[in-house]
Amino acid sequence: MRILLQRVRSARVTVVQNDADTDVPVSATAETTTEGSEESQSIDSGLLLLVGVQDSDTDTEIAWMVHKVANLRIFEDSEGKMNRSLLQTGGSVLSVSQFTLYADTRKGNRPSFMHAGRPEHAEQIWAKFNLGLERLGIAVRRGVFGAHMLVDLQNDGPVTIMLDTDDAPSHHANRRED
């Protein structure tokens, strides 16, 4: 599982409905809006999470990532030091599924997405991850899985961090050396 985490002052995701000739954005507000079966979401201060899943991801990777996102000390304290977590600040999350985080660009000019999780698996893992954050009391807004979306954000800092469960200490301990 990979997450590109961005500390934001605000973020919004807008689902694009594909018309025959143009892309028509669905408007987004702080509340869920529904036009047809499309949803749009926004948050104020918190984290924008672009979430990529691979087929090998399980509850173990979800638990590690939920803990890491909720407890990563990247919000400023009263002295201006990054010393507070999302849990401590009461910030929100805007979670957007993003299979392109598993792009392989080593060969040629067209990315391969062979390492991205199958959609049916990725959607389940993403949903469980979001639920894990909610169980900790974090307000989670979501993009629409598999949809074409526009993402607007005001990056705060900027603070942008890549998290990868392949880098988790327990993941390395379980690897065999051949």
Side-chain angles (χ1 to χ4, degrees):
M1 181 178 244
R2 287 183 184 157
I3 293 181
L4 182 67
L5 174 151
Q6 295 179 301
R7 186 179 75 184
V8 298
R9 292 205 176 171
S10 64
R12 178 180 69 174
V13 63
T14 305
V15 175
V16 175
Q17 293 179 340
N18 291 325
D19 195 22
D21 296 318
T22 89
D23 288 336
V24 180
V26 174
S27 64
T29 65
E31 297 299 317
T32 302
T33 59
T34 303
E35 293 186 21
S37 62
E38 308 296 350
E39 294 181 6
S40 297
Q41 300 284 326
S42 65
I43 62 167
D44 292 321
S45 181
L47 299 176
L48 170 64
L49 305 178
L50 303 177
V51 182
V53 174
Q54 59 187 348
D55 284 332
S56 61
D57 289 335
T58 66
D59 290 343
T60 300
E61 285 76 19
I62 294 168
W64 185 85
M65 198 62 85
V66 165
H67 177 81
K68 185 59 79 173
V69 167
N71 293 286
L72 196 62
R73 296 182 344 190
I74 58 171
F75 293 91
E76 293 178 359
D77 63 15
S78 60
E79 296 177 10
K81 294 183 180 184
M82 287 197 296
N83 207 20
R84 298 180 72 212
S85 70
L86 185 64
L87 285 172
Q88 293 169 320
T89 63
S92 301
V93 162
L94 178 57
S95 179
V96 179
S97 63
Q98 179 95 33
F99 75 92
T100 61
L101 290 177
Y102 280 99
D104 183 348
T105 59
R106 291 177 290 180
K107 292 173 63 177
N109 293 317
R110 184 176 187 176
S112 166
F113 300 106
M114 297 286 297
H115 299 290
R118 292 179 327 279
E120 57 278 1
H121 176 73
E123 187 171 15
Q124 288 179 354
I125 296 294
W126 180 59
K128 285 182 175 182
F129 167 74
N130 293 328
L131 185 60
L133 291 173
E134 288 176 330
R135 285 184 175 144
L136 294 176
I138 297 169
V140 178
R141 303 277 182 158
R142 296 165 179 79
V144 176
F145 186 87
H148 180 182
M149 294 173 274
L150 303 176
V151 180
D152 297 305
L153 70 138
Q154 185 177 26
N155 198 318
D156 185 15
V159 174
T160 302
I161 298 172
M162 179 65 79
L163 301 173
D164 193 325
T165 54
D166 287 347
D167 297 332
S170 62
H171 191 270
H172 291 291
N174 294 334
R175 286 188 180 169
R176 293 182 316 199
E177 293 193 33
D178 294 323

